[in-house]
Amino acid sequence: MRLRFLASENRRPDQFTVLVRNVPPDPDESVSEHVEHFFCVNHPDHYLTHQTGFWGLRGKTVDAIEYYTAEIEKLSKEETIEREKVMSDPKTIVPAAFVSFKSRWGAAVCAQTQQSSNPTIWLTQWAPEPRDVYWDNLSIPFVELNVRKLIMAVAFFFLTFFFMIPIAFVQSLASIDGIENKLPVLRPLVQMEVVKSFIQGVLPGIILKIFLVFLPMILMAMSKIEGYTSLSSLDRRSATKYHFFLLVNVFLGSIITGAAFEQLQRFVEEPPSEIPKTVGVAIPLKATFFITYIMVDGWAGIAAEILRLVPLVVFHLKNTFLVKTDQDREQATDPGSLNFSISEPRIQLYFLLGLVYSVVTPILLPFIIVFFAFSYMVFRHQIINVYDQKYESGASFWPDVHRGILTGLVISQLLLLGLLSTKNVARSTPILIALPVLTIWFHIFCKGRYESAFVKFPLQDAMVKDTLERATEPNLNLRAYLKDAYVHPVFKGVELDRPIALDDEENNPLVATKRSRRSSKTHSEEGV
């Protein structure tokens, strides 16, 4: 069995379900009937679940039991009416559907093949796990989706570039001469030994951490605008952005000091062969800063993870002012889940620092080792005993993690080449060019050999699993299992009008739709 479906040995709805996007409009049929007709013709062996949009409702809480009971009944009626309006309003129906199949084999064929000669419609992909669905992005058209990604790519470039300005300012604070030149009024103060030690040792790391507080929220908002349809893909995309941002601004931006435009001009004017040398020379000079940064961001972050002071304060505030019922208290004590889009890029940065400084300035390694040791113990405990699992991604994060590790390895090798080229061992440096070449080759090999295991489901494995399931559970009612798997949370527990489903698709390959009924009527009138 391939890795993508090894995350859970139990049966999962996403193993049988395909997400269909960009359903083309049909003037004669509703979206539901159009999807039903298309997949009955092209994939007769199927089940169908279709979901529409929704509007939310709120109710007012009162103390009187009689009035409260009446208010619940009133809101229930209004909720029912509102649902009926939503279900009957064409504007709330999105051109997307979750199509569930009777077998993993059928779902694999549909998810991994092109459904139409027009590659921009009837787009199929593996459906995310039901808890993993990000409902707001299901209806984005194909062209708009690509335009959004282009706009966000440009926005991310400018965000990354202009953030070098505060980074350069932070680095100037690490220099007493820089402070005296820019703020001569503070010269007597910064000459004090205690103040000087604090400014050079701790202050830059603290200010840099403050600048980075709101960055993950901005990157997550940009990923949502790009149109990803699952929470796991939003986390992966945000983590990729954050990793690149930390690499450019925190690592390279901290090493190459100066204003943002000066940095850009330096890299533009220098030949590519000189860039590793320029960075390599500056690396040893920044060891102290990164030691401080690891303690301020890494060690302090682990300590904060153990204490969980912010969730504790939030709970007491909610418990004092908002909690009225047991359900409110349960929501207030919700521990949340591990924020992968923040934690993983930070760990990648520390791993990169360890690779770079293991040869240049080994004194930094103990700080890295302490961070990873405590991170392992703390996060292992938090994941097992504290956090709730928000979704099951099927190990889809690993390719990004693997790529980030090898990227850090290549960067460390190139910077080592640049540093050694400035020393007396410059003649032996060309021999080390084999290191990044072999690392890149290893990445290409791993990508070609293993990446498909995380994005595709082999038909052979699907058939084997289907056969074993039919043999061990011959009376399994798969339709009942998949019936409400992909119903929007707002409609959970509500009986919805569903397309007609026949018990024997093999004997009745086409589900009755308006189109088929019109066709049958026309043929009967013509005497056919």
Side-chain angles (χ1 to χ4, degrees):
M1 181 60 61
R2 295 286 183 159
L3 292 177
R4 185 182 187 276
F5 292 86
L6 274 178
S8 174
E9 295 182 359
N10 298 325
R11 183 188 307 109
R12 301 213 320 262
D14 54 302
Q15 296 177 349
F16 299 87
T17 307
V18 174
L19 171 59
V20 185
R21 305 177 68 185
N22 273 50
V23 176
D26 189 302
D28 299 325
E29 291 183 329
S30 66
V31 173
S32 177
E33 291 173 330
H34 192 29
V35 172
E36 183 82 8
H37 185 270
F38 180 85
F39 282 94
C40 283
V41 172
N42 296 281
H43 300 275
D45 181 26
H46 84 289
Y47 292 96
L48 176 66
T49 302
H50 177 71
Q51 187 55 42
T52 63
F54 73 99
W55 295 98
L57 293 175
R58 289 185 180 178
K60 181 181 179 181
T61 303
V62 294
D63 294 330
I65 297 178
E66 295 82 3
Y67 182 79
Y68 187 71
T69 303
E71 190 70 12
I72 291 178
E73 295 178 357
K74 176 184 176 182
L75 291 175
S76 298
K77 293 179 181 179
E78 293 178 356
E79 188 178 11
T80 301
I81 295 173
E82 190 68 21
R83 284 200 182 102
E84 292 176 355
K85 290 181 181 179
V86 170
M87 297 297 293
S88 59
D89 186 359
K91 295 181 179 180
T92 63
I93 299 177
V94 300
F98 289 100
V99 180
S100 297
F101 289 74
K102 291 199 301 183
S103 65
R104 296 172 180 83
W105 186 91
V109 171
C110 181
Q112 297 165 185
T113 56
Q114 183 173 315
Q115 304 301 312
S116 171
S117 58
N118 184 348
T120 65
I121 60 175
W122 296 108
L123 304 179
T124 57
Q125 64 187 72
W126 279 109
E129 193 245 351
R131 295 174 298 171
D132 192 19
V133 178
Y134 186 68
W135 297 90
D136 294 347
N137 284 348
L138 294 183
S139 60
I140 301 176
F142 178 80
V143 176
E144 180 182 340
L145 197 65
N146 288 272
V147 172
R148 286 178 175 221
K149 291 182 179 180
L150 176 61
I151 294 175
M152 288 300 101
V154 175
F156 179 67
F157 169 79
F158 283 104
L159 175 65
T160 304
F161 175 72
F162 284 105
F163 206 85
M164 288 184 180
I165 297 175
I167 295 294
F169 173 74
V170 169
Q171 290 306 312
S172 67
L173 294 178
S175 171
I176 298 297
D177 294 335
I179 295 178
E180 292 178 348
N181 293 333
K182 296 179 180 180
L183 301 172
V185 179
L186 300 179
R187 183 174 299 172
L189 180 64
V190 299
Q191 290 299 328
M192 299 174 61
E193 289 298 326
V194 177
V195 177
K196 183 184 297 185
S197 300
F198 177 79
I199 290 175
Q200 292 180 324
V202 180
L203 186 61
I206 294 177
I207 297 180
L208 182 58
K209 180 65 177 177
I210 294 174
F211 276 129
L212 296 175
V213 166
F214 299 102
L215 179 63
M217 292 184 288
I218 297 174
L219 298 180
M220 177 59 73
M222 294 174 67
S223 298
K224 290 180 179 179
I225 295 175
E226 287 180 313
Y228 293 94
T229 57
S230 66
L231 299 177
S232 59
S233 60
L234 288 173
D235 280 342
R236 293 199 308 273
R237 184 60 179 170
S238 298
T240 300
K241 291 189 181 77
Y242 196 27
H243 181 220
F244 181 80
F245 189 93
L246 293 178
L247 176 64
V248 173
N249 285 288
V250 177
F251 181 67
L252 296 179
S254 298
I255 291 175
I256 307 299
T257 57
F261 292 99
E262 293 177 2
Q263 295 180 35
L264 181 62
Q265 182 179 3
R266 180 183 303 179
F267 284 112
V268 169
E269 293 178 351
E270 289 182 345
S273 59
E274 294 296 320
I275 294 178
K277 183 184 298 185
T278 303
V279 179
V281 172
I283 285 176
L285 304 178
K286 292 298 177 180
T288 303
F289 167 76
F290 284 119
I291 290 175
T292 303
Y293 182 78
I294 292 170
M295 291 189 294
V296 171
D297 182 72
W299 292 7
I302 296 300
E305 182 64 36
I306 298 174
L307 297 176
R308 290 179 60 82
L309 290 177
V310 174
L312 180 63
V313 172
V314 171
F315 164 72
H316 283 292
L317 291 176
K318 289 183 178 179
N319 192 45
T320 303
F321 300 104
L322 300 178
V323 171
K324 305 293 183 183
T325 64
D326 291 338
Q327 184 179 5
D328 293 338
R329 183 170 289 104
E330 182 179 353
Q331 293 176 352
T333 57
D334 182 14
S337 59
L338 179 65
N339 196 335
F340 178 87
S341 61
I342 297 177
S343 301
E344 190 270 340
R346 290 170 56 194
I347 293 176
Q348 292 276 16
L349 174 64
Y350 299 139
F351 189 80
L352 171 64
L353 293 176
L355 290 174
V356 171
Y357 282 95
S358 61
V359 179
V360 179
T361 312
I363 190 62
L364 187 137
L365 286 180
F367 297 89
I368 296 288
I369 294 173
V370 170
F371 167 78
F372 277 107
F374 280 107
S375 295
Y376 173 77
M377 291 188 294
V378 170
F379 282 110
R380 183 177 184 274
H381 173 270
Q382 302 295 84
I383 292 173
I384 294 176
N385 301 313
V386 178
Y387 288 130
D388 292 330
Q389 187 174 7
K390 187 165 56 174
Y391 52 75
E392 173 59 69
S393 65
S396 60
F397 288 97
W398 175 246
D400 295 337
V401 175
H402 182 265
R403 183 179 61 250
I405 291 174
L406 292 184
T407 300
L409 187 58
V410 171
I411 292 174
S412 66
Q413 292 166 349
L414 293 176
L415 296 183
L416 177 62
L417 289 174
L419 178 62
L420 293 180
S421 65
T422 64
K423 305 299 181 181
N424 297 327
V425 292
R427 293 184 178 180
S428 62
T429 301
I431 302 176
L432 300 179
I433 295 178
L435 290 177
V437 173
L438 291 175
T439 304
I440 294 173
W441 171 85
F442 179 72
H443 170 68
I444 296 174
F445 168 79
C446 291
K447 182 179 178 65
R449 175 63 180 86
Y450 299 108
E451 187 178 44
S452 62
F454 297 90
V455 296
K456 295 180 181 178
F457 193 16
L459 298 182
Q460 180 184 14
D461 293 344
M463 182 61 71
V464 169
K465 196 167 183 65
D466 288 334
T467 303
L468 290 175
E469 188 173 68
R470 285 193 292 267
T472 56
E473 301 180 68
N475 298 322
L476 173 65
N477 187 350
L478 193 59
R479 176 178 282 113
Y481 173 73
L482 297 172
K483 179 181 178 182
D484 296 326
Y486 286 93
V487 173
H488 194 284
V490 168
F491 294 106
K492 285 288 186 180
V494 178
E495 187 64 29
L496 301 175
D497 293 332
R498 302 178 183 277
I500 300 174
L502 302 182
D503 294 331
D504 189 2
E505 282 89 348
E506 290 78 7
N507 297 329
N508 301 276
L510 291 180
V511 175
T513 63
K514 289 183 179 179
R515 178 179 296 174
S516 60
R517 290 196 293 269
R518 285 198 309 270
S519 177
S520 300
K521 182 178 179 180
T522 303
H523 285 198
S524 62
E525 291 175 351
E526 294 175 354
V528 179

